[in-house]
Every structure is written in structure tokens, then in C-alpha cells.
Amino acid sequence: MQKVKLPKLVDPVKSAILRSDYRGVILSSEMPRLLGSVADIAKEVDVEIKFAKDEQGLSYFQGHMACSTSLICERCNEVFEHPLDVSFCFSPVQSAKEEVEDELPDVYEPVEVDDQGEINLFQTLEDELILSLPIVALHAEEDCKQKRDKMSFGKIEPADERPNPFAVLKELKRD
């Protein structure tokens, strides 16, 4: 099957009724926030999406994304490869109010549709990729040039023993 460029705007309810499947790519140049979060990224992000309805009649779409990125290690400041491999499962909602989110089963993440009932697929998937990035980008310890024994920057002086401010209450209790 040939990979094609995915549509930017999708109506998830209509796509669920039609049981649409998409297998394609999103150009990483169309994800500016993700580009700003990584040192480098592959030209294309591989995406598979399946739209369907569950037993309760809820529309949902689930899928998988994969691409390779390069991050900067916070320990040694060197670039290292970090593959992204993300699975997702969303259900469209009209508004992002808490009552609507409480009605959805836990397996679905709510995604808000616009006034025409569509979602910006690129933005939604970009959010998922950003959330899958590590909070602190670090090499594996054995691969990092900065070794553990060289990460100490001086000695910590022991804290002074201060009297307990509640010791006075102990004397009042004795009476």
C-alpha cells in the first residue's frame, strides 16, 4: 500500500460512520511546535489511523505514529537519536467541559471538534508527539560522555543542628 499525505481537517464522526482508515505520512515541516522541541526530526512522520464506533455508539479514532528524532542530552550537551513510537485513542466531543470528559470511558482521550464538527488532525497528532518526548532528554548512562563520578560539583556542608521550636510545648505538657 502506498503511503499518502493525510488530510489536515477531518470530521471524526462521519469518518467513524464510514469506518475510514488512513495510512500515510505527515510532513514534519507542518508541525512547528514539535520542530522547536527537538534538535532534528525525520522528514516524515508515519501515521496509521482507524475511525470506528464502539458498542455504546461513541465515535472514536485510534492509531499509531512513528518517526526518528534527535535530542540534545542535558548532561553532556551532545545530540543523540530518540525514536518516537506513539499509540493514541481519541473520541470527539463538542466542548472540553469536565462533565463531557467524565462521561467518556477511560480508554478514550477527548478531542474537541470545531463548529463544523471537524478536528485539526495535524495539531492533535503533533500534541501527542510532543507529549511523548522525555521531560529531560538524557543519553543512556553508559553512552553518555559525562560520567557519574564527574558530575559532583563540590561538597555539601552538614546542616547546623537547630533547636526544635516546639520543645517549649513539651515542658507545658509535663504539668
Side-chain angles (χ1 to χ4, degrees):
M1 174 182 265
Q2 183 182 10
K3 291 185 179 181
V4 295
K5 190 175 173 189
L6 295 174
K8 188 170 188 171
L9 295 174
V10 175
D11 186 333
V13 176
K14 287 181 184 175
S15 295
I17 292 170
L18 297 172
R19 296 173 62 152
S20 300
D21 288 345
Y22 293 105
R23 186 170 191 208
V25 294
I26 297 176
L27 298 175
S28 58
S29 60
E30 297 188 37
M31 299 182 172
R33 293 177 296 134
L34 180 62
L35 287 174
S37 302
V38 298
D40 192 25
I41 189 166
K43 186 178 176 183
E44 298 174 340
V45 178
D46 294 326
V47 182
E48 293 181 29
I49 303 174
K50 176 184 173 187
F51 291 85
K53 286 197 171 277
D54 66 2
E55 295 82 25
Q56 296 176 344
L58 292 172
S59 299
Y60 72 94
F61 61 99
Q62 64 183 10
H64 181 80
M65 294 181 287
C67 71
S68 62
T69 63
S70 296
L71 303 175
I72 297 175
C73 178
E74 297 291 327
R75 252 190 312 240
C76 67
N77 215 22
E78 296 287 326
V79 176
F80 68 99
E81 295 296 316
H82 180 77
L84 292 179
D85 194 15
V86 181
S87 295
F88 55 88
C89 189
F90 290 105
S91 181
V93 294
Q94 290 296 327
S95 65
K97 293 182 182 175
E98 287 185 31
E99 304 97 43
V100 175
E101 291 179 15
D102 290 339
E103 295 173 6
L104 282 178
D106 291 338
V107 295
Y108 302 133
E109 285 290 324
V111 62
E112 190 172 352
V113 296
D114 62 11
D115 294 338
Q116 290 80 31
E118 296 178 329
I119 60 165
N120 185 328
L121 190 61
F122 288 10
Q123 187 176 8
T124 304
L125 298 179
E126 180 182 19
D127 290 343
E128 282 300 302
L129 288 170
I130 291 171
L131 287 172
S132 70
L133 290 172
I135 294 172
V136 179
L138 297 172
H139 278 109
E141 201 168 316
E142 59 272 3
D143 296 336
C144 194
K145 291 181 181 179
Q146 187 71 23
K147 300 299 177 196
R148 177 180 288 245
D149 57 342
K150 294 182 181 179
M151 288 195 283
S152 176
F153 298 104
K155 296 186 179 188
I156 298 174
E157 298 295 325
D160 294 335
E161 288 291 325
R162 289 184 255 172
N164 186 351
F166 298 104
V168 176
L169 296 175
K170 214 180 229 186
E171 292 177 18
L172 291 174
K173 189 175 178 184
R174 290 183 192 170
D175 291 341

